[in-house]
Amino acid sequence: MYYLYVLRSISFSRHYIGITASVKNRLDKHNAGEVVSTKAYRPWQLAYVEEFSEKTPARKREIFLKTTALARKELFENLDR
């Protein structure tokens, strides 16, 4: 299984979108400062998860959200409610 996940920074007004095979391990890496792009905005909390049976659809969904501003905006607005 693969997961698309969205993290929310507890201290800053930031979100992060990624994919992984283990959400818990990946969240731990983000919070430990092992991910360069999220290190400065720690700590992170899990805000949203989508499950996929294969990596390709998860990656396509990640790319869609990262490149489509309206979809990303709607997702973040729903998460922040």
Side-chain angles (χ1 to χ4, degrees):
M1 297 302 266
Y2 288 89
Y3 303 90
L4 171 116
Y5 64 95
V6 178
L7 302 179
R8 178 186 299 124
S9 173
I10 295 171
S11 303
F12 300 89
S13 179
R14 305 283 290 198
H15 291 91
Y16 178 83
I17 300 168
I19 63 168
T20 186
S22 174
V23 176
K24 180 175 179 347
N25 289 343
R26 193 66 177 147
L27 177 59
D28 290 346
K29 286 186 178 197
H30 284 286
N31 282 325
E34 296 176 21
V35 181
V36 174
S37 61
T38 62
K39 185 176 183 176
Y41 304 103
R42 294 178 292 166
W44 294 93
Q45 67 183 14
L46 186 62
Y48 179 75
V49 176
E50 289 180 22
E51 187 176 296
F52 297 86
S53 58
E54 297 178 7
K55 187 175 183 176
T56 300
R59 180 70 176 129
K60 286 182 179 182
R61 176 75 168 141
E62 177 190 25
I63 291 168
F64 172 74
L65 288 173
K66 287 183 173 182
T67 60
T68 309
L70 183 58
R72 190 173 53 252
K73 179 182 174 188
E74 288 177 4
L75 176 62
F76 293 164
E77 285 176 355
N78 288 331
L79 294 177
D80 290 337
R81 286 187 205 161

